[in-house]
Amino acid sequence: MAEIKTKASEANVEEFINSFADTEQKKQDSFELIKIMQEHTGHPAKMWGPSIVGFGRYDYKYDSGHGGAMPIAGFSPRKSAISLYVFTGLQEHEHLLEGLGKFKMGKACIYVKKLSNIDINQLKKLMDASIAYLREKYAVND
């Protein structure tokens, strides 16, 4: 089985954002997301893999036996958009995307060009639902 690359590390989050975010807007949005996610999850920002800023941690194990750990919420200021890892991807949570604002969807990832394009209160509701789901299904380390 291949080794998972997305692991928590001691890399400096601020240095990562200052070197990785390619515009001043993305840097500002990234630092704002850190405040929002730290406050909302109760966990400090930590680097996960080379390019994800994550908060908290949950341990998962699939029926296949594959398992690992991931942050309960996170983001990455990628070149084309900021990737938000705050959505379960479950159909029963899709209603939470209504009123979020201007974004694109991946499988369970939300892409925003800039933070001002979305409703922060709706983002917090999304995080609440996702974190509640993770707590119910997996071992969340608070």
Side-chain angles (χ1 to χ4, degrees):
M1 194 178 300
E3 188 176 341
I4 299 167
K5 292 179 185 159
T6 308
K7 292 182 178 177
S9 76
E10 295 304 316
N12 186 292
V13 172
E14 190 173 328
E15 285 176 14
F16 161 73
I17 289 170
N18 284 325
S19 66
F20 192 78
D22 61 348
T23 67
E24 203 52 46
Q25 181 68 53
K26 263 193 206 137
K27 285 179 188 177
Q28 289 175 12
D29 287 351
S30 294
F31 288 118
E32 184 62 24
L33 278 167
I34 287 173
K35 286 182 201 167
I36 292 166
M37 290 185 175
Q38 272 184 173
E39 197 174 277
H40 210 69
T41 66
H43 296 282
K46 194 168 190 75
M47 288 304 301
W48 283 76
S51 62
I52 295 174
V53 178
F55 303 82
R57 168 194 160 130
Y58 71 95
D59 298 309
Y60 64 90
K61 188 160 191 158
Y62 298 129
D63 292 338
S64 66
H66 171 79
M70 290 297 289
I72 60 172
F75 72 93
S76 183
R78 303 200 188 277
K79 192 169 198 77
S80 61
I82 298 172
S83 301
L84 299 173
Y85 305 104
V86 295
F87 183 59
T88 63
L90 297 172
Q91 191 172 359
E92 61 259 35
H93 292 154
E94 284 182 5
H95 71 280
L96 295 167
L97 297 171
E98 294 169 16
L100 182 60
K102 189 176 176 182
F103 67 93
K104 291 186 179 179
M105 277 300 301
K107 190 171 184 176
C109 181
I110 297 168
Y111 302 104
V112 297
K113 292 285 186 189
K114 55 187 176 181
L115 205 50
S116 62
N117 285 345
I118 61 170
D119 182 314
I120 299 305
N121 289 323
Q122 199 63 27
L123 174 64
K124 291 176 181 178
K125 288 178 186 176
L126 260 174
M127 283 192 286
D128 285 342
S130 294
I131 292 168
Y133 170 79
L134 293 172
R135 282 195 172 111
E136 186 179 297
K137 187 161 174 76
Y138 302 107
V140 173
N141 300 309
D142 282 319

